[in-house]
Amino acid sequence: MSVQAPVRASGPLLLADISGYTSFLQSVAVAHADDTDARIPEAYGLMSSLLDGIVERVVPPFTLSKLEGDAVFAFAADGDPIPTGEALLACTEACYAEFRRRVDGAAEIWSCSCGVCSRRDLLDLKFILHAGSFIVQSIAGNRELVGPDVVMAHRLLKSAAATVTDGKAYVLMTAAAAERYEVPTDDAVALRETYDHYEPIDCWVYRLGAA
């Protein structure tokens, strides 16, 4: 079996992460543990639908790297037709609007109205957008992105951005990404994050669904 040689690339790294995903499904599993039929709780279908909706909205212009449980990881390489400026923010806004449409629509078709399943409205979405260099390589037959900037993008999932937005949906964009893709920062809140083994990284936080 041939092994694809690693390829060096540079471009945007995008993570779309569903907030509250793990605790919601754990609560659903407990609430429905005594169900006597073999039907899978509708909550699992909703989570699949939400992840599908995210992928449909960001791919293209981004390329899907992989699904990471409750998150979609996507990327692009320099030269790909990635939107810039306000259009890049509009891409995340459109994705969030579709996310909310699917969550809200579940109330009209779900047969279960238990207290746990009704808390699906608490699910929310956050985006991390970083820009840097990375290596694309084949591992166990799958395409994987590796490198310090890939690690940084994932570490930014744990940040103080939620305190800036009172726990609401947001885009956390690094200063490197905002500068490279000419995204205006007039309506964003500045944030600096510090992680072990990295220099402090400057970011901008944009609230989603403000309207």
Side-chain angles (χ1 to χ4, degrees), residues 87-129:
L88 185 52
L89 290 175
C91 178
T92 59
E93 282 283 5
C95 184
Y96 182 62
E98 177 63 15
F99 174 88
R100 290 262 46 108
R101 186 189 71 79
R102 295 189 181 216
V103 171
D104 296 341
E108 302 175 5
I109 61 175
W110 275 23
S111 60
C112 182
S113 58
C114 75
V116 172
C117 289
S118 297
R119 292 205 294 270
R120 59 186 173 268
D121 292 340
L122 298 179
L123 295 170
D124 220 331
L125 189 61
K126 62 185 178 186
F127 293 90
I128 306 299
L129 184 60

Side-chain angles (χ1 to χ4, degrees), residues 7-141:
V7 176
R8 187 180 300 277
S10 177
L13 299 164
L14 178 71
L15 279 157
D17 179 79
I18 302 176
S19 302
Y21 175 102
T22 301
S23 61
F24 177 65
L25 286 189
Q26 287 177 336
S27 297
V28 167
V30 172
H32 290 271
D34 296 329
D35 287 0
T36 57
D37 58 31
R39 186 180 62 184
I40 297 174
E42 293 163 304
Y44 290 91
L46 172 62
M47 303 313 294
S48 297
S49 175
L50 294 178
L51 291 168
D52 279 340
I54 293 169
V55 173
E56 289 173 6
R57 288 292 179 171
V58 302
V59 179
F62 292 88
T63 297
L64 178 65
S65 174
K66 60 181 176 179
L67 300 180
E68 300 180 342
D70 56 356
V72 173
F73 181 35
F75 71 99
D78 286 342
D80 290 346
I82 295 299
T84 59
E86 292 282 2
L88 185 52
L89 290 175
C91 178
T92 59
E93 282 283 5
C95 184
Y96 182 62
E98 177 63 15
F99 174 88
R100 290 262 46 108
R101 186 189 71 79
R102 295 189 181 216
V103 171
D104 296 341
E108 302 175 5
I109 61 175
W110 275 23
S111 60
C112 182
S113 58
C114 75
V116 172
C117 289
S118 297
R119 292 205 294 270
R120 59 186 173 268
D121 292 340
L122 298 179
L123 295 170
D124 220 331
L125 189 61
K126 62 185 178 186
F127 293 90
I128 306 299
L129 184 60
H130 183 37
S133 59
F134 47 91
I135 303 295
V136 183
Q137 63 183 34
S138 177
I139 301 177

